[in-house]
Amino acid sequence: MRLLEEKICKEGKVYEGNVLKVDSFLNHQMDVDFLCQLGQEFYRLYADCGVNKILTIEASGIGIACLTAQFFHCPVVFAKKSRTLNLSSKLWTSKVHSYTHNTDHDVVVSKKYLGESDRVLIIDDFLANGSALNALIDLCNQSGATVVGAGIVIEKAYQEGGKSLRSKGVRVESLARVVSMDPEKGIKFC
Ligand code: 5GP
């Protein structure tokens, strides 16, 4: 999506450790009008898939998930991060390795909010190695929900996540796909 690529080039900052910061419009301050346009694009891509639930992960996916859900007129469920062991029979639980913090933690969703009747669109801000997306898919699989696909704002296409998920047959639609980024040379897209 050209508009998004331009915004990333203008406002994004590349940090050591392979992290792109887009705090001015997505990850800290949120440009709601702009993010609505991204939500509308996810709607265009998945409009005919019978989506009745959007699933994301706290915290950074929640804003874009809600702005997308207003077009689908469906609820958003966010997987909660948990540092304590969860053995409750009332929760679906999976493990995530955090790309930005380099730590592992559980993510949980109440069984009340994810189940067999759900056709789920997974939304997240970034796709890197795919740990977050794999955990969300795992939660859906445990619950019997159908994953219709994933909508990602920024995919770092030179990392393995996107390739690996697509090779397993998961539909992954990314609005911007970064092929390379460097603090000096800048950001290039597919
Ligand atoms: P993955 O699980 O695919 O390795 O990483 C995706 C998750 O890590 C996203 O939910 C996102 O919050 C975070 N993430 C990965 N790479 C970046 C990045 O370059 N910038 C920011 N801001 N977050 C990232």
Side-chain angles (χ1 to χ4, degrees):
M1 199 179 170
R2 177 54 68 90
L3 205 63
L4 174 61
E5 293 177 2
E6 284 168 4
K7 187 119 168 140
I8 295 168
C9 286
K10 200 162 146 226
E11 299 182 24
K13 296 222 165 14
V14 181
Y15 284 78
E16 297 300 333
N18 201 14
V19 170
L20 173 60
K21 287 245 178 192
V22 281
D23 282 1
S24 64
F25 68 94
L26 181 64
N27 288 136
H28 192 19
Q29 172 170 266
M30 289 196 267
D31 183 338
V32 172
D33 286 344
F34 181 74
L35 297 182
C36 272
Q37 294 180 60
L38 307 188
Q40 203 158 20
E41 180 62 7
F42 286 135
Y43 181 70
R44 190 186 67 76
L45 291 163
Y46 285 104
D48 56 0
C49 297
V51 172
N52 62 5
K53 197 155 283 184
I54 288 182
L55 178 66
T56 189
I57 187 164
E58 76 173 354
S60 54
I62 297 175
I64 180 65
C66 290
L67 293 169
T68 303
Q70 67 181 332
F71 297 101
F72 287 93
H73 301 286
C74 73
V76 171
V77 175
F78 60 92
K80 294 187 174 195
K81 291 178 181 168
S82 167
R83 277 177 221 288
T84 49
L85 191 61
N86 284 287
L87 298 172
S88 167
S89 60
K90 295 179 179 166
L91 299 171
W92 306 119
T93 304
S94 194
K95 278 219 177 312
V96 179
H97 177 77
S98 165
Y99 183 85
T100 42
H101 298 108
N102 198 21
T103 51
D104 290 327
H105 53 259
D106 282 352
V107 284
V108 300
V109 166
S110 166
K111 290 185 179 177
K112 271 195 283 188
Y113 303 128
L114 194 62
E116 279 174 4
S117 59
D118 290 321
R119 291 184 58 78
V120 177
L121 172 61
I122 298 174
I123 294 284
D124 205 5
D125 57 344
F126 274 87
L127 173 59
N129 292 322
S131 179
L133 213 47
N134 273 306
L136 295 173
I137 292 169
D138 182 33
L139 294 172
C140 290
N141 290 342
Q142 289 175 44
S143 74
T146 303
V147 177
V148 307
I152 301 295
V153 179
I154 303 171
E155 175 180 346
K156 293 190 287 181
Y158 55 89
Q159 293 185 253
E160 284 308 301
K163 209 198 303 175
S164 151
L165 283 154
R166 289 185 185 98
S167 75
K168 288 184 212 155
V170 180
R171 180 177 173 191
V172 180
E173 300 282 358
S174 303
L175 302 185
R177 300 185 74 225
V178 174
V179 273
S180 67
M181 59 182 204
D182 181 274
E184 261 107 65
K185 292 185 203 142
I187 303 160
K188 292 199 173 57
F189 299 93
C190 293

